[in-house]
């Protein structure tokens, strides 16, 4: 694991450009949905610099809608980070519900939200973020999934932003991917179709746990 404040030797930039190229080739060029990608805007809002890997991501895909998975830009990431942290801290000690367990494996701290988590994307229901304040068994720069249901764990799914982008590329390159109205879907046996975000999460969990990836490349 590399420190997220250190350069990634272009791996994030290369991965982000590969995602862009695949989307363009398949006729799904991502549209800009959210504002400023200037890293100093994040620092102004959040009070700390953004991880270097995230800055690289913003330079290529910040604020872009990836078939329904809308990445944050510097401004929206800074706003989200501060708002979630204020919400947590107003509840007392950062743990507003007794049922919140952090991660069962000790990789993620037991908090509702931490000011040192930098969101890559977020909705009212969940967020995916870079963790710069991990649990005892975690690593700085791991990428975590947060379900905002009060009884849900936070879990470390990817080792780095590069790993996360690898799984985004896997999903958007899959021959199973269908797109309607700008939103991507992946069919699942016996269950409803997965959004791009949920498919990426499932691929990430499978890689983390050593299970096979079911998706087939489109070419």
């Amino acid at each position: 694991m590399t420190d997220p404040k250190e350069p990634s030797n272009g791996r994030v930039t290369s991965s982000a450009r590969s995602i862009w190229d695949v989307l363009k080739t398949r006729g799904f060029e991502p549209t800009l949905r959210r504002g400023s990608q200037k890293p100093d805007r994040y620092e102004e809002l959040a009070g700390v610099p953004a991880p270097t890997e995230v800055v690289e991501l913003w330079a290529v895909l910040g604020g872009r809608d990836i078939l329904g998975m809308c990445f944050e830009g510097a401004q929206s990431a800074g706003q989200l980070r501060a708002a979630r942290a204020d919400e947590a801290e107003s509840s007392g000690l950062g743990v507003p519900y007794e049922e919140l367990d952090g991660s069962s494996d000790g990789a993620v701290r037991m908090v509702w939200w931490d000011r040192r988590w930098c969101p890559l994307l977020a909705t009212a229901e969940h967020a995916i973020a870079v963790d710069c304040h991990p649990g005892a068994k975690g690593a700085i720069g791991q990428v975590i999934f947060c379900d905002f249901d009060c009884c849900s764990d936070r879990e470390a799914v990817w080792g780095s932003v590069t790993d996360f982008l690898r799984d985004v590329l896997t999903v958007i390159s899959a021959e199973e991917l269908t797109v309607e109205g700008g939103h991507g879907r992946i069919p699942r046996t016996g269950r409803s179709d997965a959004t791009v975000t949920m498919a990426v999460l499932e691929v990430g969990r499978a890689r983390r746990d050593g299970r096979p990836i079911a998706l087939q490349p489109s070419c």
Side-chain angles (χ1 to χ4, degrees):
M1 169 62 60
T2 58
D3 188 321
K5 295 179 182 178
E6 295 297 324
S8 71
N9 296 320
R11 291 187 299 272
V12 168
T13 300
S14 177
S15 296
R17 287 176 176 164
S18 294
I19 289 168
W20 183 281
D21 289 344
V22 167
L23 289 169
K24 286 188 68 175
T25 298
R26 303 191 73 179
F28 307 129
E29 183 171 332
T31 55
L32 182 64
R33 298 291 188 191
R34 293 174 177 161
S36 172
Q37 276 48 264
K38 296 179 180 179
D40 57 350
R41 184 60 177 146
Y42 178 86
E43 185 170 358
E44 177 186 335
L45 291 163
V48 295
T52 301
E53 284 196 325
V54 181
V55 174
E56 287 187 41
L57 175 61
W58 288 338
V60 182
L61 293 175
R64 301 282 175 177
D65 185 354
I66 311 297
L67 301 179
M69 170 188 271
C70 193
F71 285 165
E72 306 303 331
Q75 179 167 311
S76 60
Q79 291 169 333
L80 279 164
R81 179 181 181 276
R84 284 294 183 188
D86 288 344
E87 174 185 294
E89 289 161 11
S90 68
S91 302
L93 302 179
V95 186
Y97 302 104
E98 291 182 2
E99 294 89 346
L100 182 63
D101 295 325
S103 60
S104 57
D105 60 4
V108 186
R109 296 175 61 251
M110 189 178 69
V111 293
W112 181 247
W113 187 264
D114 190 295
R115 286 189 180 273
R116 281 169 281 185
W117 294 350
C118 179
L120 300 176
L121 59 96
T123 70
E125 290 80 31
H126 58 254
I128 293 174
V130 178
D131 183 3
C132 295
H133 191 197
K137 297 183 179 179
I140 292 174
Q142 65 189 5
V143 177
I144 62 176
F145 177 75
C146 302
D147 189 326
F148 290 130
D149 181 89
C150 67
C151 298
S152 296
D153 288 353
R154 280 81 177 99
E155 58 178 314
V157 181
W158 301 273
S160 66
V161 175
T162 304
D163 293 342
F164 167 70
L165 294 179
R166 173 198 57 198
D167 291 341
V168 174
L169 186 60
T170 296
V171 170
I172 65 158
S173 301
E175 65 179 17
E176 297 93 334
L177 177 72
T178 62
V179 178
E180 183 175 351
H183 289 261
R185 298 279 174 179
I186 295 286
R188 298 184 293 185
T189 303
R191 295 184 291 166
S192 59
D193 293 352
T195 63
V196 170
T197 302
M198 290 299 104
V200 171
L201 176 62
E202 290 177 6
V203 169
R205 285 169 169 166
R207 286 194 199 274
R208 178 196 64 190
D209 300 339
R211 294 181 281 114
I213 308 301
L215 300 178
Q216 298 296 320
S218 61
C219 57

